Amino acid sequence: MSSNPSPAPPAARRRRRLDPTTPGLLSLPLAWLALFFLVPIGFVGAYSIDALSLYPGAHALTLAGWHDLVHGSVYLRLFWKSVEMSLIVSGVVVLCAYPLAYYLALSGTKRKYVLLLILIAPFLTSYLLRVLAWKVILGDHGVINSFLAWTGIRDPDHPLSQLLYSRFAVMLVLAYVWLPFVALPIFVSLDTLDRRLLEAASDLGASRLQAFRKITLPLSLPGVVAAFLFVFIPTVGEFVTPSLVGGTGGFMYGNEIVDLFGNALDWRTGSVLSLFLLGVVAALTLIFSRFLQVQRVTAS
Amino acid sequence: MRETRDPGERRLERSEFLKLAAATGGAGLLAGLGAGTAEARIAALSKLGAESGRLQVLDWVGYEVPQLWTQYAKLYPSEKPQFTFMTNEANALGKMHAGFKADVVHPCVGWVKDFADSGLVQPWTPSKLKNLLSLNPSMVKAGQYKGKQWWIPADWGFDKILYRTDKVKPKERSYNLLFDDRYGGKIAWFDDINQLVLAGYVLGFKKPYDQTDAELKQSQKLLISKKHLARMLWSSETDMQAAFASGDIWIAYAWPADWVAMKAKKLPVAYMTPKEGAISWICGLMLGKDSSRVDHAHAYADAWSSRQSAQWLEDNYAYGHANTKARPKDANLAKVLEVANPNALKEPHTHIDRYYRRRSLYAKLWDEVKAS
């Protein structure tokens, strides 16, 4: 900034300061956020250091829960396992959703919104029902294994048991569940793309691949990043899908938190794990949004 | 057990009684009191004790059906209990700690001390429970703590091994079948800290419910080394039954009801009593500390203890019931619950689930098994 903006007339400044519209509009959502997000996080923080405890009586403040997290290998290993699974799911889903969104946004079809509706149609049914339907498909006597046995590719007595109650099953179902959520932000960023840029590229002799690499992909990247985060953030703490189709191999960090609160009555460790997850996800979100300008999606 | 008088209870004066009867339009109440039944007396007293509102029951899913508390429903036809569901005892304790005011809660026997020491429950008054005398005395005794009756036994069952006889050939009658390498990927364990107890029995420890640090390490090591064989850890009986019925698993740590359900599906199954002795669970009712409906709660617990409720539970849910006057109609269930065996629930034949002195350590180690 080389020069200061010209100062507003004092009367106008005073009017702006006294205008109650903005704080009035913001007060309710801010109060909501404070009451139902920040205060509960404060409680969780208090439980993590025993400032609050499930059991009656006096408790000394302690960082033992944090010490256990940092020095105990089990929780961190589970966390990285969940991160790895979520990264794979997010990556695969973005790769699958991109061509889909590309077709819907840029093919010029008049029925793109109808197709978009078809894409999200499964979400008009219950989440539980959709996950349970996968059990029918993936089970030892499910659709896939029955087909493999029928074609003779697989011995009926030795079905592909890794399809269900496994890490693979969790990732597959998560990918299926989140696909439309990924397609939508990418679709929005592609749909609002200025087509004149592509025409200019063509006029200047760029091939379609070059135009995609130099124009379409960079301009749709904020949508891709937003889509990636839309999947990564919720799936890294996922616990419902693993408990339904995960078996012993699909146990995730979110299941550990649920267990600590719900089964082990260890609210201190559960709080520590929850805050750690929150911190990592918040940090990742900040990094992504700062360097890849996710806000452009909103702007577009 | 010393009888204690409830503070809300007071004598019913004739004038008050008439006012009450008139106010409630209680023809049934009049008839009941005229007949002088204990139930009607309890009902009238509880009205005077200002026990307003519906009884709050914190219970397992499936136990909200009125057939399990018919006697209570007859006494209070217009006051259906309000049910809130618990997924396990820790979940129930968590809810109550968080401020949920339960009049009645339904934990299993291993949690009696935990609940009693939490300050969230209070002892029952046995004299208000006429069906208590019909309950299995050893189970009733298991609910006593510090000289008071904190817990009324209700439903029970065994934890044994259910397996497909056409697919599985056990080498011995043992819990070791859950760790059998030949059936890797076809086994279901129970998602509970008592798997460490089971491992303790397999390893031959003297006190599997109170293992030393070294023993717990060994039990945990056994479970971690065999975890890859288990396809699922079940916490929902329905999920496990679905997986068993579909052929996804052949061997499961299971309850008698599961065996009955699989028999009903015409599956060739056996329910094996392991040489280490079966583990048995017993669940029962506890009274909320701050209950403002103490007499209603007693009437509800008494209804649960009745022979009719017991019979219904056995015939429809295939669980055992503490009421010794009830006997399952199904001969198979009667056999599997060993109702004719007076030693069915005695050591060393059966190890009744009990208090874990170091529950949090067991829970931590079990969590590590799952996370491993």
Side-chain angles (χ1 to χ4, degrees):
Chain A
M1 295 285 184
S2 57
S3 63
N4 291 326
S6 58
R13 267 197 312 215
R14 205 178 302 123
R15 267 203 306 276
R16 218 168 27 234
R17 256 193 231 120
L18 292 174
D19 186 359
T21 313
T22 306
L25 287 172
L26 280 176
S27 59
L28 188 62
L30 285 176
W32 182 275
L33 194 70
L35 195 61
F36 297 113
F37 184 64
L38 297 178
V39 172
I41 286 177
F43 277 119
V44 174
Y47 274 108
S48 76
I49 54 171
D50 264 1
L52 283 176
S53 175
L54 198 57
Y55 297 100
H59 293 271
L61 296 184
T62 175
L63 291 173
W66 289 98
H67 181 271
D68 286 351
L69 173 71
V70 175
H71 293 94
S73 58
V74 174
Y75 300 133
L76 280 183
R77 200 164 57 231
L78 193 61
F79 178 75
W80 291 120
K81 174 186 165 187
S82 297
V83 168
E84 182 190 334
M85 288 170 72
S86 292
L87 283 174
I88 293 171
V89 169
S90 309
V92 167
V93 172
V94 166
L95 284 176
C96 292
Y98 197 94
L100 200 67
Y102 186 91
Y103 173 77
L104 289 175
L106 299 177
S107 68
T109 175
K110 289 177 183 173
R111 295 193 175 85
K112 63 182 176 186
Y113 291 109
V114 176
L115 293 172
L116 204 61
L117 191 66
I118 291 171
L119 181 72
I120 60 170
F123 289 80
L124 302 174
T125 60
S126 145
Y127 174 81
L128 201 60
L129 200 64
R130 279 179 283 131
V131 175
L132 291 176
W134 276 104
K135 282 191 174 185
V136 177
I137 297 168
L138 301 173
D140 283 3
H141 298 90
V143 176
I144 295 174
N145 274 312
S146 298
F147 176 75
L148 293 175
W150 179 68
T151 53
I153 296 172
R154 195 87 189 173
D155 182 349
D157 287 336
H158 296 93
L160 279 175
S161 57
Q162 299 88 344
L163 290 179
L164 187 58
Y165 301 120
S166 62
R167 193 184 293 202
F168 168 79
V170 175
M171 292 196 287
L172 178 70
V173 173
L174 285 177
Y176 160 76
V177 166
W178 287 99
L179 186 73
F181 290 95
V182 173
L184 280 173
I186 301 175
F187 169 79
V188 169
S189 64
L190 289 170
D191 198 41
T192 52
L193 191 72
D194 188 347
R195 312 292 166 91
R196 289 173 302 178
L197 294 170
L198 296 175
E199 287 169 16
S202 179
D203 291 346
L204 293 169
S207 66
R208 291 183 72 175
L209 186 63
Q210 279 175 318
F212 175 78
R213 278 180 48 227
K214 300 280 185 187
I215 297 169
T216 312
L217 186 62
L219 289 178
S220 63
L221 212 52
V224 171
V225 173
F228 187 88
L229 287 177
F230 276 5
V231 185
F232 180 77
I233 292 171
T235 53
V236 78
E238 174 69 70
F239 71 95
V240 176
T241 307
S243 53
L244 289 171
V245 298
T248 49
F251 192 79
M252 290 178 75
Y253 190 77
N255 299 92
E256 183 65 50
I257 293 174
V258 170
D259 267 0
L260 286 165
F261 277 106
N263 293 334
L265 279 182
D266 187 354
W267 285 27
R268 186 179 69 192
T269 311
S271 300
V272 168
L273 264 62
S274 304
L275 287 177
F276 180 72
L277 176 65
L278 184 72
V280 171
V281 167
L284 283 174
T285 309
L286 280 175
I287 292 167
F288 273 103
S289 58
R290 185 171 179 81
F291 290 103
L292 293 165
Q293 298 174 312
V294 177
Q295 67 270 24
R296 275 197 208 161
V297 179
T298 322
S300 65
Chain B
M1 200 82 37
R2 211 173 124 253
E3 184 184 343
T4 53
R5 197 172 181 83
D6 184 78
E9 186 181 313
R10 57 190 173 98
R11 284 176 64 83
L12 180 64
E13 298 293 335
R14 181 181 167 78
S15 58
E16 288 176 312
F17 160 70
L18 289 173
K19 275 183 203 166
L20 174 68
T24 55
L29 181 65
L30 277 165
L33 281 175
T37 61
E39 293 92 334
R41 275 201 301 277
I42 290 172
L45 286 169
S46 53
K47 289 282 183 193
L48 279 182
E51 292 196 354
S52 58
R54 293 164 67 182
L55 191 70
Q56 297 296 318
V57 181
L58 186 53
D59 215 326
W60 308 88
V61 174
Y63 282 171
E64 71 280 14
V65 293
Q67 290 89 338
L68 291 171
W69 37 275
T70 306
Q71 186 180 300
Y72 178 84
K74 281 181 184 167
L75 272 174
Y76 303 100
S78 61
E79 295 183 45
K80 191 187 169 201
Q82 176 104 42
F83 288 92
T84 302
F85 296 113
M86 53 191 270
T87 52
N88 54 43
E89 288 87 349
N91 170 264
L93 258 184
K95 280 192 167 94
M96 292 174 77
H97 269 298
F100 179 75
K101 303 279 183 210
D103 296 308
V104 178
V105 59
H106 196 145
C108 294
V109 65
W111 286 80
V112 171
K113 283 184 191 173
D114 297 273
F115 272 75
D117 290 340
S118 73
L120 295 166
V121 291
Q122 59 177 313
W124 296 97
T125 304
S127 61
K128 292 181 180 175
L129 301 162
K130 70 181 175 67
N131 288 320
L132 193 65
L133 294 172
S134 304
L135 304 184
N136 183 316
S138 64
M139 292 188 190
V140 172
K141 196 178 173 190
Q144 293 167 3
Y145 177 53
K146 293 182 179 171
K148 306 228 173 194
Q149 191 72 42
W150 291 81
W151 174 88
I152 307 298
D155 47 324
W156 70 274
F158 289 115
D159 294 345
K160 298 183 184 177
I161 310 293
L162 177 73
Y163 69 90
R164 286 272 297 264
T165 50
D166 58 331
K167 307 278 188 188
V168 177
K169 304 294 171 204
K171 290 176 185 166
E172 55 177 349
R173 298 176 70 85
S174 166
Y175 278 126
N176 263 318
L177 190 57
L178 293 169
F179 309 135
D180 196 322
D181 294 305
R182 293 175 299 161
Y183 304 111
K186 289 291 186 184
I187 300 170
W189 293 359
F190 186 37
D191 186 359
D192 192 278
I193 60 172
N194 80 346
Q195 298 301 281
L196 284 161
V197 174
L198 180 150
Y201 279 117
V202 168
L203 292 167
F205 298 147
K206 280 186 180 171
K207 294 181 177 175
Y209 281 89
D210 194 15
Q211 298 176 39
T212 64
D213 287 348
E215 288 172 341
L216 274 171
K217 281 267 177 218
Q218 282 188 62
S219 295
Q220 189 193 37
K221 194 177 167 189
L222 172 67
L223 293 175
I224 289 174
S225 69
K226 298 290 185 183
K227 199 186 93 171
H228 67 282
L229 302 172
R231 193 167 191 190
M232 68 186 294
L233 302 173
W234 66 272
S235 53
S236 153
E237 208 180 357
T238 316
D239 285 349
M240 187 272 282
Q241 287 186 7
F244 201 101
S246 67
D248 290 338
I249 54 172
W250 296 341
I251 302 167
Y253 183 91
W255 301 336
D258 307 318
W259 177 76
V260 171
M262 294 307 111
K263 289 281 276 186
K265 289 183 185 297
K266 311 284 183 203
L267 284 174
V269 285
Y271 194 55
M272 181 177 75
T273 303
K275 67 178 183 186
E276 295 88 359
I279 294 172
S280 172
W281 54 269
I282 312 168
C283 296
L285 306 178
M286 296 188 91
L287 176 63
K289 172 78 173 171
D290 298 321
S291 171
S292 57
R293 292 166 280 263
V294 172
D295 285 320
H296 275 258
H298 278 82
Y300 180 83
D302 205 40
W304 244 95
S305 305
S306 70
R307 196 193 63 78
Q308 293 90 335
S309 297
Q311 191 70 51
W312 192 91
L313 182 81
E314 290 179 346
D315 292 340
N316 291 277
Y317 283 2
Y319 292 159
H321 193 287
N323 191 314
T324 52
K325 291 180 179 168
R327 285 288 178 266
K329 283 179 189 156
D330 180 1
N332 279 326
L333 181 63
K335 187 181 165 193
V336 84
L337 287 175
E338 301 182 44
V339 292
N341 179 4
N343 297 319
L345 287 171
K346 289 183 181 167
E347 294 280 353
H349 183 73
T350 300
H351 318 293
I352 292 181
D353 197 20
R354 67 202 68 170
Y355 173 68
Y356 290 80
R357 190 175 59 86
R358 299 199 292 171
R359 184 184 294 283
S360 57
L361 179 59
Y362 273 70
K364 187 175 186 298
L365 294 174
W366 174 239
D367 262 343
E368 287 177 4
V369 172
K370 291 201 288 181
S372 64

